[in-house]
Amino acid sequence: MPHVKSRVHELVKMTRWSNPFNAPTSLIAIIFLIQKASLLLLAGLSPGAGYDTSTQLLLDDGKGGHPNWLVTKLSRWDAIYFGTVASRGYLWEQEWAFGWGFTGLISLIANGELSATQSSFTAALTKEAFRSLYPFTNSKLTAPHTELVAAIAVAHLAHLASAIVLYHLTIVVFGGFSGKKLALISAILHVFSPAGLFLSAPYAESLFSFLAFSGCLLYAKSIRLEAARALEKDFAIIASGLLFGLATLMRSNGVLNGLIFLHAVSSELPGLLTLELDISKFRRVMALVLAGLTNALGMLIPQWIAYNIYCKDMGRPWCAKRLPSIYEWVQDHYWNVGLFRYWTLSNAPLFLLSAPMLLILTSSGLHAIRGKLNVGSGRTTDIAEPKSSAFLNANTPTEQDGQTKFVQSLASTQLFLAALAITTYHVQIITRISSGYVVWRMEISSDSPMDDCVSDDAWDFIGGYLGNLRAVPSPAPNLSRFNVPWTLATLDLQTAKSLIFESKSSLSVAAKITQQAFFRKWSGYPPELGSSHESSRMFRVLTC
């Protein structure tokens, strides 16, 4: 039907502002709200209290009241520890396995009592604010109800914020308009994270992701700063170390981000040893060292606090070690975490459960370390913004080399995490802690060879459909069956086969399905609409 195509092109020319690349943050937020609503509905409608009744026992106020159903559904396993510690502080030694920074922040938000300088008036206002935001509770919030509600709110806000930060990070790393396309896919992949409901529950993963991605963004932006702005560049590096340190306060595996600074310092080591560094480069090395130490403080501060509590009066066994660490002791003594300890026959199903994520982390990390990611070479286009836009310019060769080395250092942290998960951790947690690492999403997003086969006109055509087809008059009666929103569930068998067999590797399947579902969801355009040639063209544009 030629008039359909001409109508669409006419709409594209009239309303370019409705192109999704012009309002990516809004689009990410809408997809986020839909995904969260679906997950929370699924959690709320799940039958029964489950085999673990700890949550019910914890939230029972002893007055015959019943805890809120949604808080009960979301507060399981580690969330019980987070809520309890936030409500009354660390009481038992084994509780120090759970992020000191996260429990402290939740206590501050829920009770306003973390700091001794916090006034009782401010604390009362804080609690009253949360009570007004929580209409499903009984007559009043009680501990740890308040803390769990605060943690759930933080998890949701941080998840959305981290998706937006990841979008901007991917643009800076890849550059060009191709970076914007990959950034949008990466952000949507983060919304639909393998961590699932853990990013809605009272867990630290969402906040960890936000802080870690923010640290990565600052570091990536420091690479783009010119030599004339060397001082600003050094401050950006130190600030990124501070954000990584805050992330480490939330989750101890954040200390692995120190490899980023170690990698950067090692590249400057030859010049440092031969005294060939100028003042600006020497200052750069000092900034990197300071940033690395700041990141390490996120691990050291809780250890120091615990040492002062347990080692001055109680004399616990771990205090006598050369490097006393309550975290190492707790993981070993209470949680049985150690090299190959999880390698038992009974845990084989958990290794199978974790295998897909471990495979993705490992293969994408190795791919990035070999320099196979097309980092920093994005081409420009005038589809959504003028070519002079900073984010649409391809990186210079120097910037491209810097971004490549940065991504390689990120890949090393990811590989280190995967190795620890396989050999030492309780392996199943990899599905949620992987949410705080970016390389595997960039790999999945960039693995599809979109830029080699999709022309600017094709993307212009797609942009028009995404934003404008909803403005097309209602279709004829014989096409009314197509006038419904499309979802991933409507992928027909032939489309699924094409997506799989046309993929260059198994990793690109996820990216292609995301693209296809994303297009269908927002355009309402069925391939069956119009001629078979038109249908085939649109499918090739999407899946290449």
Side-chain angles (χ1 to χ4, degrees):
M1 301 173 68
H3 68 279
V4 174
K5 179 177 177 180
S6 61
R7 174 61 174 161
V8 169
H9 276 293
E10 183 181 339
L11 287 169
V12 169
K13 294 177 181 179
M14 290 190 301
T15 56
R16 280 179 175 269
W17 56 267
S18 59
N19 182 328
F21 298 108
N22 290 346
T25 302
S26 300
L27 183 59
I28 293 168
I30 291 171
I31 295 174
F32 173 86
L33 291 174
I34 294 172
Q35 191 262 0
K36 287 297 180 184
S38 304
L39 273 182
L40 294 178
L41 181 63
L42 193 62
L45 296 178
S46 60
Y51 69 90
D52 186 359
T53 59
S54 303
T55 307
Q56 285 73 21
L57 295 173
L58 177 68
L59 299 179
D60 186 0
D61 58 8
K63 301 177 182 178
H66 298 286
N68 173 257
W69 60 274
L70 187 56
V71 173
T72 302
K73 298 292 186 182
L74 295 178
S75 303
R76 301 297 174 96
W77 302 317
D78 292 4
I80 295 174
Y81 282 96
F82 283 123
T84 302
V85 172
S87 67
R88 49 110 167 112
Y90 289 87
L91 183 60
W92 306 108
E93 200 174 47
Q94 64 265 31
E95 292 172 346
W96 286 86
F98 302 94
W100 179 84
F102 186 66
T103 57
L105 177 65
I106 297 308
S107 178
L108 177 62
I109 293 174
N111 305 308
E113 295 174 348
L114 179 63
S115 173
T117 60
Q118 188 80 20
S119 68
S120 58
F121 174 73
T122 307
L125 285 179
T126 306
K127 181 163 286 192
E128 188 61 36
F130 268 94
R131 186 177 294 123
S132 66
L133 291 172
Y134 189 58
F136 309 107
T137 188
N138 298 318
S139 58
K140 57 183 291 187
L141 286 177
T142 58
H145 251 104
T146 316
E147 291 75 18
L148 291 172
V149 172
I152 291 170
V154 168
H156 282 80
L157 291 174
H159 187 192
L160 174 59
S162 61
I164 294 171
V165 172
L166 178 61
Y167 170 80
H168 291 289
L169 170 63
T170 309
I171 289 175
V172 173
V173 169
F174 281 89
F177 183 68
S178 61
K180 295 195 76 172
K181 291 181 284 186
L182 300 178
L184 196 55
I185 297 171
S186 295
I188 293 171
L189 285 173
H190 184 56
V191 171
F192 293 94
S193 171
L197 208 57
F198 283 108
L199 300 184
S200 302
Y203 276 69
E205 273 71 18
S206 291
L207 191 54
F208 173 85
S209 297
F210 169 67
L211 292 169
F213 293 174
S214 298
C216 289
L217 177 59
L218 272 181
Y219 191 92
K221 283 190 172 183
S222 75
I223 297 172
R224 304 195 88 179
L225 293 175
E226 299 174 357
R229 304 169 66 183
L231 193 60
E232 186 179 345
K233 186 185 191 84
D234 296 339
F235 276 116
I237 291 172
I238 295 171
S240 70
L242 177 61
L243 287 167
F244 285 133
L246 292 173
T248 306
L249 282 175
M250 305 301 152
R251 280 204 58 89
S252 60
N253 55 283
V255 75
L256 296 177
N257 289 317
L259 293 174
I260 297 170
F261 306 109
L262 183 62
H263 186 274
V265 169
S266 66
S267 66
E268 301 286 353
L269 201 56
L272 189 64
L273 293 176
T274 57
L275 302 179
E276 295 178 357
L277 290 179
D278 57 28
I279 294 297
S280 62
K281 287 189 176 181
F282 179 77
R283 192 178 62 231
R284 181 78 30 75
V285 171
M286 293 299 101
L288 290 166
V289 171
L290 182 57
L293 292 175
T294 305
N295 179 46
L297 282 177
M299 188 70 175
L300 295 176
I301 288 174
Q303 309 302 315
W304 179 78
I305 294 172
Y307 184 87
N308 282 281
I309 294 174
Y310 291 98
C311 297
K312 290 190 174 180
D313 299 320
M314 302 181 188
R316 295 292 294 148
W318 58 272
C319 298
K321 293 188 175 183
R322 180 172 298 180
L323 293 175
S325 169
I326 190 171
Y327 184 78
E328 181 185 357
W329 165 258
V330 164
Q331 293 288 357
D332 173 60
H333 187 69
Y334 294 100
W335 305 107
N336 195 36
V337 173
L339 189 63
F340 302 125
R341 291 187 187 178
Y342 219 56
W343 285 32
T344 65
L345 185 60
S346 60
N347 287 329
L350 298 176
F351 278 90
L352 290 175
L353 176 70
S354 309
M357 196 67 247
L358 290 170
L359 177 62
I360 290 174
L361 289 172
T362 304
S363 58
S364 61
L366 292 173
H367 196 251
I369 281 184
R370 295 190 190 109
K372 298 294 183 66
L373 274 179
N374 193 26
V375 173
S377 59
R379 56 189 174 81
T380 58
T381 178
D382 61 354
I383 179 173
E385 299 180 46
K387 292 185 178 182
S388 60
S389 172
F391 277 154
L392 290 182
N393 290 331
N395 293 338
T396 65
T398 301
E399 291 169 358
Q400 185 175 340
D401 180 64
Q403 298 292 358
T404 299
K405 290 179 179 178
F406 173 50
V407 170
Q408 288 173 333
S409 65
L410 288 175
S412 67
T413 67
Q414 184 176 290
L415 288 170
F416 208 105
L417 181 79
L420 287 173
I422 294 170
T423 61
T424 308
Y425 292 168
H426 292 183
V427 68
Q428 69 273 14
I429 70 171
I430 196 64
T431 57
R432 56 184 172 90
I433 66 176
S434 62
S435 60
Y437 296 82
V438 301
V439 171
W440 66 270
R441 291 187 183 86
M442 292 178 176
E443 165 70 18
I444 290 176
S445 301
S446 64
D447 195 60
S448 173
M450 293 184 298
D451 296 320
D452 297 331
C453 62
V454 182
S455 65
D456 290 343
D457 289 340
W459 272 104
D460 191 49
F461 188 52
I462 292 174
Y465 273 103
L466 290 171
N468 300 316
L469 257 182
R470 284 169 292 179
V472 177
S474 299
N478 63 323
L479 297 176
S480 61
R481 67 185 187 279
F482 297 128
N483 194 22
V484 294
W486 287 22
T487 63
L488 187 60
T490 63
L491 281 171
D492 57 85
L493 183 60
Q494 186 59 41
T495 300
K497 287 180 179 178
S498 300
L499 285 172
I500 293 171
F501 288 115
E502 291 183 12
S503 300
K504 301 299 182 184
S505 74
S506 60
L507 284 179
S508 64
V509 175
K512 290 177 179 294
I513 291 177
T514 300
Q515 295 165 32
Q516 184 78 346
F518 164 73
F519 176 77
R520 290 181 167 189
K521 178 67 179 177
W522 294 101
S523 69
Y525 177 79
E528 294 89 345
L529 185 60
S531 66
S532 59
H533 171 74
E534 183 71 17
S535 171
S536 175
R537 176 175 181 267
M538 286 304 302
F539 181 75
R540 286 198 304 273
V541 164
L542 283 172
T543 61
C544 195

Short mmCIF file of all heavy atoms in Angstrom, two decimals, residues 29 213 225 233 266 319 326 378 414 422 435 437 451 478 486 539:
data_model
loop_
_atom_site.label_atom_id
_atom_site.label_comp_id
_atom_site.label_asym_id
_atom_site.label_seq_id
_atom_site.Cartn_x
_atom_site.Cartn_y
_atom_site.Cartn_z
N ALA A 29 11.99 6.12 31.05
CA ALA A 29 11.14 6.19 32.23
C ALA A 29 9.80 5.48 32.00
O ALA A 29 9.30 4.78 32.89
CB ALA A 29 10.90 7.64 32.61
N PHE A 213 27.84 3.26 37.97
CA PHE A 213 27.67 3.83 36.63
C PHE A 213 28.04 5.32 36.62
O PHE A 213 28.63 5.80 35.65
CB PHE A 213 26.23 3.67 36.14
CG PHE A 213 25.81 2.24 35.90
CD1 PHE A 213 24.49 1.94 35.58
CD2 PHE A 213 26.70 1.19 36.01
CE1 PHE A 213 24.09 0.64 35.35
CE2 PHE A 213 26.31 -0.12 35.79
CZ PHE A 213 25.00 -0.40 35.47
N LEU A 225 38.08 15.24 28.04
CA LEU A 225 38.55 16.60 28.30
C LEU A 225 39.91 16.82 27.64
O LEU A 225 40.79 15.97 27.70
CB LEU A 225 38.64 16.84 29.81
CG LEU A 225 37.30 16.85 30.55
CD1 LEU A 225 37.52 16.97 32.05
CD2 LEU A 225 36.43 18.00 30.06
N LYS A 233 40.18 17.69 34.41
CA LYS A 233 40.27 16.26 34.14
C LYS A 233 40.67 15.50 35.41
O LYS A 233 40.09 14.46 35.73
CB LYS A 233 41.30 16.04 33.04
CG LYS A 233 41.44 14.62 32.52
CD LYS A 233 42.58 14.55 31.52
CE LYS A 233 42.61 13.23 30.78
NZ LYS A 233 41.72 13.21 29.62
N SER A 266 49.29 1.89 35.63
CA SER A 266 50.29 1.00 35.02
C SER A 266 50.70 1.48 33.63
O SER A 266 51.84 1.29 33.20
CB SER A 266 49.76 -0.43 34.96
OG SER A 266 48.65 -0.52 34.08
N CYS A 319 40.42 -10.68 65.24
CA CYS A 319 41.16 -9.47 65.62
C CYS A 319 42.67 -9.70 65.66
O CYS A 319 43.46 -8.76 65.52
CB CYS A 319 40.69 -8.97 66.99
SG CYS A 319 38.94 -8.50 67.03
N ILE A 326 36.60 -8.03 59.55
CA ILE A 326 35.36 -8.67 59.99
C ILE A 326 34.60 -9.23 58.80
O ILE A 326 33.93 -10.27 58.91
CB ILE A 326 34.48 -7.68 60.78
CG1 ILE A 326 33.33 -8.46 61.43
CG2 ILE A 326 33.96 -6.56 59.89
CD1 ILE A 326 32.51 -7.64 62.40
N GLY A 378 31.83 6.21 16.73
CA GLY A 378 30.49 6.44 16.20
C GLY A 378 30.47 7.49 15.10
O GLY A 378 31.18 8.48 15.15
N GLN A 414 34.92 -7.06 35.39
CA GLN A 414 33.83 -7.99 35.11
C GLN A 414 34.32 -9.44 35.09
O GLN A 414 33.67 -10.34 35.65
CB GLN A 414 33.19 -7.61 33.77
CG GLN A 414 31.99 -8.43 33.38
CD GLN A 414 31.37 -7.92 32.10
OE1 GLN A 414 30.77 -6.85 32.06
NE2 GLN A 414 31.50 -8.70 31.03
N ILE A 422 32.48 -18.04 40.23
CA ILE A 422 32.63 -19.46 39.91
C ILE A 422 33.39 -20.21 41.00
O ILE A 422 33.03 -21.32 41.38
CB ILE A 422 33.36 -19.63 38.56
CG1 ILE A 422 32.48 -19.08 37.42
CG2 ILE A 422 33.70 -21.09 38.30
CD1 ILE A 422 33.20 -18.99 36.09
N SER A 435 24.29 -6.77 37.74
CA SER A 435 23.55 -5.57 37.34
C SER A 435 24.40 -4.31 37.48
O SER A 435 24.09 -3.29 36.87
CB SER A 435 22.28 -5.42 38.18
OG SER A 435 22.59 -5.31 39.56
N TYR A 437 27.49 -3.86 36.42
CA TYR A 437 28.62 -3.88 35.48
C TYR A 437 28.11 -3.60 34.07
O TYR A 437 27.02 -4.06 33.70
CB TYR A 437 29.36 -5.22 35.58
CG TYR A 437 29.99 -5.38 36.95
CD1 TYR A 437 29.24 -5.84 38.03
CD2 TYR A 437 31.31 -5.03 37.18
CE1 TYR A 437 29.78 -5.94 39.31
CE2 TYR A 437 31.86 -5.14 38.45
CZ TYR A 437 31.10 -5.59 39.50
OH TYR A 437 31.64 -5.68 40.76
N ASP A 451 24.95 -0.70 12.45
CA ASP A 451 25.52 0.44 11.77
C ASP A 451 26.06 0.09 10.40
O ASP A 451 26.33 0.97 9.60
CB ASP A 451 26.63 1.04 12.62
CG ASP A 451 26.09 1.58 13.93
OD1 ASP A 451 25.01 2.18 13.89
OD2 ASP A 451 26.74 1.40 14.97
N ASN A 478 -10.80 -4.08 7.56
CA ASN A 478 -10.12 -5.36 7.36
C ASN A 478 -8.74 -5.39 8.02
O ASN A 478 -8.11 -6.43 8.08
CB ASN A 478 -9.98 -5.66 5.87
CG ASN A 478 -9.12 -4.63 5.16
OD1 ASN A 478 -9.18 -3.45 5.49
ND2 ASN A 478 -8.35 -5.08 4.18
N TRP A 486 1.73 -3.91 20.31
CA TRP A 486 2.48 -5.15 20.15
C TRP A 486 3.41 -5.35 21.33
O TRP A 486 3.92 -4.40 21.90
CB TRP A 486 3.32 -5.09 18.88
CG TRP A 486 2.50 -5.22 17.64
CD1 TRP A 486 1.17 -4.98 17.49
CD2 TRP A 486 2.99 -5.61 16.36
NE1 TRP A 486 0.80 -5.20 16.20
CE2 TRP A 486 1.89 -5.59 15.48
CE3 TRP A 486 4.23 -5.96 15.89
CZ2 TRP A 486 2.01 -5.90 14.15
CZ3 TRP A 486 4.36 -6.29 14.56
CH2 TRP A 486 3.24 -6.25 13.70
N PHE A 539 11.36 -5.39 8.28
CA PHE A 539 12.01 -6.43 9.10
C PHE A 539 13.52 -6.38 8.92
O PHE A 539 14.27 -6.51 9.89
CB PHE A 539 11.48 -7.81 8.71
CG PHE A 539 12.07 -8.91 9.52
CD1 PHE A 539 11.67 -9.10 10.83
CD2 PHE A 539 13.04 -9.75 9.00
CE1 PHE A 539 12.22 -10.11 11.60
CE2 PHE A 539 13.59 -10.75 9.75
CZ PHE A 539 13.17 -10.94 11.06
#
